[in-house]
Amino acid sequence: MTEKDSRPATADSSQPDVLPAWARAARCLMLLFELVLVAAVVYLFNIEGQRHFFPVLCLIVGGFAIHTCLPERYRLHFFALLSITCVLFVMGVSNGVWVLGIGSALIGICYLPIAWGTRIGMLLVATVALIFTRAQFPLPFWPVLGSMFMFRLIIFVHDCRRGAAMPGLASCVSYFFLLPNVCFPLFPVVDYKTFRTTWYDQDEWEIYQRGVRWIVRGLVHLLLYRYIKTYLVPEPWQLYDVPHLALFMATNFALYMQVSGQFHLITGLLHLFGFNLPRTHHLFFLASSFSDIWRRINIYWKDFMTKFFFFPTFFALRSRGASVGPAIVLGVFCVFVCTWLLHSWQTFWLLGRFPVTVNDACLWLGVGTCVAVNAVFDSRRGTRRQRSAWLAAFSLSLRTVCMFALVSLFWACWTKPGFLYSLGGVLDRPEAGHGLFVVLMWMLAVVAVGTMLILFQRWRTSRGRTPAPMSFQDSVKLHLAGLGLVVAFASPWLSHVFDSNVAREIADFRANTAEDAEMRLQSYYEDLNMAAIQAGPLLSSFSPQDEIRRAQAEGFFKVSRPGDMYQQVELKPGLRTQLEGRPFSVNQFGMRDRTSITLNKPADTFRIAVVGSSIVMGYGVSDEEVFGRVFEDRLNAGDTDGSVRFEVLNFGVGKQWAFHRLIRTQRRVVGFEPDALYYMAHQDEMKELAIHPARLLAHGLKLPSQSLKDVARRAGVTRGMTQGAVQGRLQAHEPEILSAIYKAIVDECRQRGITPVWIYLPMPGTMMEDPVNELLSIAEGAGFVVCDLSYWAEGQNWDSLFRSTDEYHPNAKGHRLIADALMRMVHESPETLPGP
């Protein structure tokens, strides 16, 4: 039986192709023109650039042109060959052969002429061996291989075992090595029966154009994801009030658009080769119940879990005499327990770890409980009594808004473990009532707008004004016009047409790739999308930035991410890794500190916030060896009566200077209610003082304090100057800039009852000039309590205090000596530790 004969005949697929050759050629050219514009958008915005999507898209477009010219009996074989070629093209020969070789071995076991029980036993043994190998040898081909076989092998064996005969080899190879899979390890769980039966089950041109529509929809979702993640998601330092927490919840749920966008791209590309697959997501933001969100979001996953877990459990219980309600509840619970574990199974194959956390278990079981109750309620619900149109619309709108809020809360707790604890801390604040009122007013406004839209839509439907489906030609015209406008607006060659500010905004948005955006917040899907796709030699020659990415994978780039124009760089919240061979942890607030730190200061606690450079951050030493942590332990073990507990909070960040420390103090430090701020300065304190204010002024942004604005005015800086001109004028006023920065920090502290302490901590042995006298004078003039710890390394062999390859960052011994010096400071200068 051939591949074409193996699928059921439909009215559409059985009709002969009546289009003349010139019409087919014209339609093919129109589709190719659309795809060229799609490729231009992908290139201009560097969409999925870290997954090498643009060169693969070019290969797919070329493959589509050939595919449409082939007789149908050859098309599936060509698709299988193109999929294998894509694996080798992206991954190179060595990694590609591993993927194809191991995959072929697994497929070969399925085709052995032996009993199915034996074949399944052999597959289980092979799976155990692969699990062990994956855990022991983290080679670069595992994410792609795991993505192709971790779920698809289960589905393939199940469907083939129930079938009358094994499918043809072309169908099998096409299914496992699906063309876009090499770029997207996070891949929809495609059902094999659906994959086979939807191949050219309608008019081919309608399938192709539907694919283009879904590709464009996927691009829109990914660009919206980038915008939301870059511009709307609040930073940890902003989560101090109810409106920002509500925004954090809503935008976290909205970030699921990345998955929706990728899945639309994937299924749209498969449509180009005749696979008329169903939709993967359906208006999931508009779900009105727990069962509804389960039906709308990641439909392929829902179908997979229903087929393999819900129905077997439900019918097994029913066959043993269980009533419908308990059978539904236990079936749903089985689905969500398996969903929790299978998410970890997916993480293992893509990232090499198998996380099983109490937080995830509670979340998934809690959602399972809600869905089970909702499902039982739906199964028992009789005919609804007729309600007025206004009341029905209001009810639907209210349920939709409430469901969005609940799913957003779930997403926030999944993204940021401990979110409920942070929420409780904010709600305890006196101003929380006003924030709750603002959020409730926004929700009511959305409910009102939703009610009006529902009534309007029902009014149109009642009058038969539902829009008719677009024809092939109309759809092509619409997408050509839309894609052409996007390419025209985004093209750097046409930027002179727009206002300079508009052109700069467009350029910034284009340059701000999704790869950079992913580093702003790490959740389950962001983690999975970080699975590395190592390019082979051929593809690397087209992507020279791969070398830059590899260089940035180590050192400070490994633990930091780009910040905004004010902050420049910051630590990645929630990071757990090793830096220079030592454990390096960043908490949920972007601090190299413990996750137990809370925003609100605990009772009977004296807090010291330490602000500074990579030395304060603790570059090159483990978490417990940083001098701030050692200093805190010694304070708590000192000769106090124990009525006060000390907390030393580490706000140090590498590659930041005095200007950035002012921003960090304003944005983050003061929100933690410290009693004292220790500003650590070194010999490089005068460095880059003019650069950062000049960058802000040149981009039309405001300086963060009035004292800095006064310096810029005295320097003669005017609106419209280039960055170089501004920097040139400010460089002559660098001591004044530093004084203005210090005054702004002192003012922030004094307004909140925080004692500002300026501490000079020079690094011995460096070749830099020591500006201690000038710095002491500026700090005293700004109003700091000034302390000079130049003696901290006296009597020590300098070489023993620093890492062998680093003259700037102290080792563990050096950090202990700094803690000793701080203890001596607080005993000799009680004003640095007021209160206790």
Side-chain angles (χ1 to χ4, degrees), residues 776-827:
L776 288 170
S777 175
I778 294 173
E780 287 176 351
F784 274 108
V785 175
V786 175
C787 296
D788 184 4
L789 301 189
S790 298
Y791 59 81
W792 74 271
E794 286 181 356
Q796 299 290 329
N797 179 3
W798 293 346
D799 292 338
S800 68
L801 303 182
F802 295 86
R803 297 161 55 243
S804 58
T805 58
D806 193 336
E807 62 177 340
Y808 298 108
H809 298 105
N811 56 22
K813 178 181 177 181
H815 277 264
R816 289 194 298 272
L817 290 175
I818 294 172
D820 291 341
L822 288 172
M823 288 298 295
R824 178 178 170 183
M825 177 193 77
V826 298
H827 282 102

Side-chain angles (χ1 to χ4, degrees), residues 7-223:
R7 68 178 195 275
T10 65
D12 291 335
S13 64
S14 62
Q15 291 179 354
D17 188 357
V18 295
L19 286 177
W22 67 266
R24 288 184 59 84
R27 288 193 171 195
C28 185
L29 286 175
M30 286 189 286
L31 287 165
L32 285 172
F33 194 17
E34 287 182 288
L35 293 174
V36 168
L37 289 176
V38 165
V41 173
V42 170
Y43 176 78
L44 288 170
F45 289 95
N46 193 23
I47 293 175
E48 302 297 335
Q50 70 275 26
R51 276 173 271 282
H52 323 293
F53 181 55
F54 175 70
V56 172
L57 179 60
C58 293
L59 181 66
I60 290 173
V61 172
F64 168 74
I66 299 172
H67 177 87
T68 54
C69 298
L70 293 173
E72 188 174 331
R73 64 180 179 275
Y74 297 128
R75 289 180 179 179
L76 193 60
H77 296 81
F78 176 77
F79 178 78
L81 179 62
L82 186 63
S83 298
I84 292 172
T85 302
C86 195
V87 171
L88 296 172
F89 173 66
V90 172
M91 306 194 71
V93 174
S94 76
N95 287 318
V97 167
W98 276 110
V99 171
L100 297 175
I102 296 175
S104 299
L106 294 172
I107 293 171
I109 294 174
C110 297
Y111 279 82
L112 288 175
I114 54 179
W116 266 111
T118 307
R119 277 182 271 182
I120 293 173
M122 293 177 66
L123 287 173
L124 289 174
V125 172
T127 301
V128 172
L130 289 174
I131 290 172
F132 176 79
T133 310
R134 172 69 174 105
Q136 296 298 318
F137 304 100
L139 298 171
F141 64 82
W142 285 117
V144 173
L145 180 69
S147 177
M148 290 176 171
F149 286 88
M150 61 185 173
F151 298 124
R152 240 170 272 166
L153 189 61
I154 299 171
I155 299 170
F156 182 79
V157 170
H158 176 272
D159 289 352
C160 289
R161 191 179 182 188
R162 290 174 172 264
M166 290 296 292
L169 192 59
S171 174
C172 176
V173 171
S174 298
Y175 177 67
F176 281 109
F177 302 108
L178 277 170
L179 183 56
N181 207 160
V182 72
C183 292
F184 297 97
L186 184 59
F187 204 85
V189 185
V190 180
D191 184 76
Y192 182 59
K193 182 179 179 181
T194 305
F195 174 77
R196 294 179 66 192
T197 57
T198 58
W199 190 59
Y200 285 113
D201 64 345
Q202 292 181 359
D203 176 70
E204 62 177 312
W205 303 107
E206 293 297 332
I207 295 175
Y208 298 153
Q209 186 56 30
R210 184 178 297 117
V212 173
R213 287 202 301 269
W214 288 13
I215 291 170
V216 172
R217 189 178 301 172
L219 296 179
V220 171
H221 285 194
L222 289 173
L223 290 175

Side-chain angles (χ1 to χ4, degrees), residues 571-592:
L571 301 181
K572 299 176 185 176
L575 181 71
R576 299 288 182 275
T577 186
Q578 286 200 346
L579 185 62
E580 302 290 338
R582 301 298 181 94
F584 192 101
S585 303
V586 184
N587 69 11
Q588 66 271 28
F589 300 109
M591 304 157 53
R592 191 181 184 190

Side-chain angles (χ1 to χ4, degrees), residues 226-244:
R226 182 187 301 186
Y227 180 83
I228 292 169
K229 187 124 192 185
T230 305
Y231 300 108
L232 297 184
V233 176
E235 296 286 358
W237 55 268
Q238 294 177 308
L239 303 182
Y240 299 158
D241 55 43
V242 176
H244 277 99

Side-chain angles (χ1 to χ4, degrees), residues 333-527:
F333 265 103
C334 178
V335 165
F336 279 89
V337 169
C338 293
T339 294
W340 166 46
L341 296 175
L342 287 177
H343 274 71
S344 296
W345 170 255
Q346 185 170 237
T347 303
F348 171 74
W349 286 108
L350 300 191
L351 301 179
R353 60 178 188 267
F354 195 94
V356 179
T357 65
V358 175
N359 181 70
D360 288 357
C362 293
L363 288 173
W364 282 113
L365 293 178
V367 172
T369 301
C370 295
V371 174
V373 172
N374 202 162
V376 172
F377 179 74
D378 288 343
S379 69
R380 296 178 177 178
R381 180 183 298 165
T383 304
R384 296 184 182 180
R385 62 184 180 87
Q386 196 69 21
R387 293 186 292 183
S388 69
W390 281 92
L391 184 58
F394 175 78
S395 173
L396 178 59
S397 179
L398 179 62
R399 284 184 282 117
T400 301
V401 170
C402 291
M403 183 52 52
F404 183 89
L406 288 172
V407 177
S408 299
L409 178 62
F410 165 81
W411 227 266
C413 293
W414 196 20
T415 299
K416 189 176 185 291
F419 177 77
L420 289 177
Y421 188 75
S422 301
L423 180 62
V426 171
L427 291 176
D428 285 341
R429 294 192 163 192
E431 64 273 16
H434 177 264
L436 279 173
F437 176 78
V438 171
V439 172
L440 288 175
M441 288 300 100
W442 274 104
M443 291 179 68
L444 288 175
V446 174
V447 170
V449 172
T451 302
M452 301 304 294
L453 291 175
I454 293 168
L455 288 170
F456 176 72
Q457 180 63 28
R458 290 179 176 175
W459 174 80
R460 290 189 63 196
T461 303
S462 67
R463 282 160 175 73
R465 299 187 180 183
T466 304
M470 271 196 212
S471 65
F472 175 85
Q473 289 81 2
D474 290 340
S475 179
V476 169
K477 291 175 185 176
L478 177 65
H479 286 84
L480 285 176
L483 290 167
L485 285 174
V486 172
V487 170
F489 272 91
S491 175
W493 303 287
L494 298 178
S495 59
H496 63 278
V497 177
F498 307 109
D499 176 77
S500 59
N501 292 328
V502 174
R504 185 185 300 119
E505 290 295 330
I506 294 174
D508 289 344
F509 184 70
R510 285 179 49 233
N512 189 0
T513 64
E515 182 180 11
D516 297 330
E518 281 167 11
M519 305 314 300
R520 298 174 62 82
L521 184 70
Q522 291 299 106
S523 66
Y524 177 77
Y525 291 110
E526 275 72 25
D527 274 342

